[in-house]
Amino acid sequence: MNKPMIGVLPLYDSGKESYWMLPAYMKAIENEGGIPVMLPLTTDEDIIAALAGKFDGFLFTGGHDINPVLYGEKAEAVCGEWCDERDRMEKLLFDQIVELDKPAFGICRGLQLFNVLCGGTLYQDIPSQMNADITVSHKQKPPYAEPAHSVHIHTGTLLHHILQTDQIDVNSYHHQGIKALPAGLTAAAAAEDGMVEAVSLQDKRFILAVQWHPEFSYGADSNSRKLFSAFVNACIPTN
């Protein structure tokens, strides 16, 4: 079997001016038969086009908040730090991925990014901006492999096809989330408070994102393994 080469979007530490990576992202891809490679952080359009053409799939990792200007809002005090270079790179790369119909898997920030780039909006801070009748813990304390709440999986979606179940328990570590879902993105799962927890892009072979962190629970949770397995398999070259 040809092992797919999968580009992993880098994390950025502004204080240290360094690119870095959580091993769990890489190990999960490697264990499922892929070859993970951390990408450079760049806004050079020629480099990004070359990356889009070279790799068989892409993992959009967690990390910074997203600059609210990208979804037409002014940053509130509750919004966290963002990285304009990362926002710009990931927008350029995502556009190429959609055009080339390459597989992409988004985690946490990845889901929020897909939503924004497709025309949706975000809660800049869930606790202070989202009004819900049911309280759900979206930002748990360690250990992060433990489940924090349940999500309902919508039937007929790519996520339901992968997991083959209507409900799962997930971990949760985020303070931003989807406020308005754009046309074209399908909501694939929701928490009890109504928060969208997974999305997929219609008419593409594999563009899927989840709000939780399957990389943290990969070693102990079969559903997390199913997600990475489906992603890596979708990236296997066909020729």
Side-chain angles (χ1 to χ4, degrees):
M1 181 185 74
N2 292 331
K3 288 182 176 288
M5 297 280 289
I6 296 174
V8 183
L9 274 298
L11 305 169
Y12 180 68
D13 185 323
S14 58
K16 297 179 180 179
E17 296 185 351
S18 64
Y19 311 150
W20 65 285
M21 182 54 57
L22 286 167
Y25 291 123
M26 313 294 272
K27 288 297 184 183
I29 292 172
E30 185 180 348
N31 288 343
E32 295 301 330
I35 302 174
V37 179
M38 190 178 86
L39 300 180
L41 185 60
T42 179
T43 56
D44 186 299
E45 295 187 21
D46 290 336
I47 293 176
I48 291 170
L51 294 172
K54 175 70 173 177
F55 286 89
D56 300 307
F58 298 87
L59 176 65
F60 286 77
T61 54
H64 287 87
D65 286 357
I66 294 168
N67 190 334
V69 73
L70 293 178
Y71 48 95
E73 293 186 8
K74 181 165 48 170
E76 304 288 345
V78 291
C79 188
E81 180 185 10
W82 63 81
C83 174
D84 285 326
E85 187 177 14
R86 183 176 180 186
D87 288 346
R88 175 66 177 161
M89 175 188 177
E90 293 188 352
K91 180 186 185 308
L92 291 169
L93 182 59
F94 184 78
D95 289 346
Q96 292 274 330
I97 289 167
V98 171
E99 182 178 347
L100 296 171
D101 199 11
K102 293 286 184 83
F105 183 29
I107 293 175
C108 195
R109 170 193 157 90
L111 171 136
Q112 297 160 15
L113 179 86
F114 290 6
N115 185 70
V116 167
L117 296 184
C118 291
T121 62
L122 302 177
Y123 292 108
Q124 294 186 33
D125 181 65
I126 294 167
S128 60
Q129 295 182 332
M130 181 182 179
N131 296 316
D133 295 330
I134 299 173
T135 300
V136 171
S137 174
H138 288 288
K139 195 169 185 180
Q140 72 188 91
K141 295 180 180 180
Y144 298 123
E146 295 297 319
H149 62 80
S150 63
V151 298
H152 174 75
I153 312 296
H154 302 324
T155 58
T157 62
L158 174 60
L159 183 64
H160 194 275
H161 175 73
I162 293 168
L163 299 182
Q164 293 291 301
T165 187
D166 295 332
Q167 184 171 306
I168 62 171
D169 293 328
V170 300
N171 55 17
S172 190
Y173 190 74
H174 62 108
H175 86 108
Q176 296 198 322
I178 291 176
K179 180 165 63 174
L181 190 76
L185 268 191
T186 297
E192 291 182 354
D193 61 359
M195 176 64 64
V196 175
E197 292 277 335
V199 298
S200 59
L201 187 60
Q202 298 171 12
D203 302 322
K204 295 298 174 181
R205 58 189 178 115
F206 194 105
I207 294 184
L208 174 69
V210 298
Q211 185 60 80
W212 62 93
H213 287 272
E215 77 280 11
F216 288 147
S217 52
Y218 174 85
D221 176 55
S222 62
N223 289 315
S224 298
R225 291 192 291 273
K226 287 177 184 177
L227 284 170
F228 276 101
S229 177
F231 169 54
V232 172
N233 285 334
C235 297
I236 295 173
T238 57
N239 50 21

